[in-house]
Amino acid sequence: MFSLEITKDYQELSERAAELVVKQLKKKANSVLGLATGSTPLGCYEQLVKLYKAGELDFSGVHSVNLDEYRGLAAEDKNSYRHFMDENLFSKINIVKEHTHVPDGMEENREKACKDYDAEILSVGEIDLQILGLGLDGHIGFNEPADFFSKGTNCVRLTDETIESNQRFFRSKEEVPREAYTMGIGSIFSAKKILLLVSGKAKAGILEKALKGPVTPRVPASILQFHRDLTVLADEEAASALS
Ligand code: F6R
């Protein structure tokens, strides 16, 4: 069972998502937040910054773990997810930098990078609220369609669809890294609460598959149907294929 809230548009979705984060932080000031990058959560982060600047939020006790990072991109690279988070959220609120965790894209040794990130995730404790976006192919984090659900952090080869979809952030398709480190589905699933944000017509078909179709690693997000505390926030366009 999940709760589905349909919003008029992206703006309303972002405001509602921020409201749910605020609710979480009011309940537990030292919450662990699982954070996503990409276009979808940007509006929510903007709202959170606004509320922080208005004196309504305090992130000093918050810890965060991000879902993923491109393999081969340094924190300073403007396309790295660490940079994205610093730019769009962390540098604008009073979260303690040492409390924020993103996989190390510069660790070349895949096994070590994954092991290290799993240890970081464990060190912050249970994720209280995990924010997720939805990939066009049903990925969550960078867990692409596969034969099985991943458990812990893993190194993935991005699919052509994901590379094409993400090239909008780069100068050319060739510049998009081919691999990424991502938190595993098992770790994502261990979060106490999950908030899935989905916006736009292009996501309507995959959202319908993820929520109504069979639970299968071919549609990684479909596993969320089994989660005990999932809220799906979708705008009207994204929800248009759900009857
Ligand atoms: C990013 C992430 C991805 C995105 C997904 C949707 O950290 O984990 O799963 O959430 O690719 O991206 P947007 O929001 O750009 O459509």
Side-chain angles (χ1 to χ4, degrees):
M1 271 305 286
F2 54 87
S3 98
L4 170 68
E5 289 185 33
I6 300 175
T7 64
K8 187 169 87 268
D9 55 20
Y10 178 69
Q11 179 63 24
E12 196 178 296
L13 176 140
S14 302
E15 285 166 14
R16 181 68 185 130
E19 241 174 68
L20 295 175
V21 176
V22 171
K23 191 170 159 206
Q24 175 63 40
L25 296 188
K26 297 273 180 234
K27 200 171 83 184
K28 186 179 173 198
N30 61 345
S31 289
V32 177
L33 299 180
L35 300 176
T37 56
S39 308
T40 315
L42 267 178
C44 168
Y45 296 159
E46 257 169 44
Q47 289 298 319
L48 293 176
V49 169
K50 221 192 255 177
L51 292 168
Y52 167 71
K53 288 193 170 149
E56 288 176 43
L57 271 181
D58 175 16
F59 290 88
S60 60
V62 170
H63 289 248
S64 71
V65 280
N66 259 81
L67 286 168
D68 40 22
E69 180 59 282
Y70 288 113
R71 179 168 179 267
L73 295 195
E76 308 73 44
D77 190 302
K78 73 173 191 16
N79 283 312
S80 75
Y81 283 170
R82 161 55 78 183
H83 187 263
F84 176 103
M85 291 309 300
D86 286 347
E87 277 288 298
N88 293 300
L89 188 64
F90 299 154
S91 66
K92 298 179 172 169
I93 57 175
N94 66 333
I95 196 164
V96 178
K97 180 96 191 223
E98 291 70 34
H99 290 178
T100 67
H101 302 271
V102 181
D104 180 2
M106 289 310 278
E107 176 54 67
E108 280 184 21
N109 182 323
R110 297 173 180 82
E111 208 175 309
K112 180 170 184 321
C114 296
K115 230 172 111 190
D116 287 352
Y117 200 55
D118 277 341
E120 279 189 54
I121 296 169
L122 265 185
S123 76
V124 297
E126 262 186 315
I127 297 173
D128 293 293
L129 176 66
Q130 173 68 58
I131 295 176
L132 293 178
L134 178 66
L136 285 170
D137 58 5
H139 69 228
I140 47 176
F142 266 137
N143 295 284
E144 299 282 27
D147 293 336
F148 52 85
F149 292 110
S150 62
K151 288 188 211 157
T153 305
N154 56 102
C155 181
V156 287
R157 272 207 89 70
L158 303 181
T159 60
D160 278 348
E161 194 173 11
T162 300
I163 291 169
E164 250 159 54
S165 161
N166 288 7
Q167 83 174 70
R168 66 192 193 276
F169 299 110
F170 294 78
R171 272 181 310 205
S172 68
K173 188 174 163 186
E174 285 58 50
E175 271 188 28
V176 186
R178 270 31 186 178
E179 290 177 90
Y181 295 126
T182 181
M183 194 189 278
I185 299 228
S187 309
I188 293 172
F189 202 80
S190 311
K192 290 188 202 159
K193 275 178 184 298
I194 295 184
L195 179 57
L196 176 67
L197 307 179
V198 196
S199 168
K201 192 127 198 78
K203 300 274 176 78
I206 192 63
L207 180 61
E208 198 270 338
K209 266 196 195 167
L211 298 182
K212 299 276 180 77
V215 173
T216 161
R218 293 274 138 219
V219 182
S222 63
I223 189 80
L224 300 175
Q225 292 180 37
F226 289 156
H227 198 271
R228 291 173 61 169
D229 194 346
L230 168 69
T231 300
V232 181
L233 275 184
D235 59 19
E236 278 176 11
E237 285 190 351
S240 58
L242 299 167
S243 44

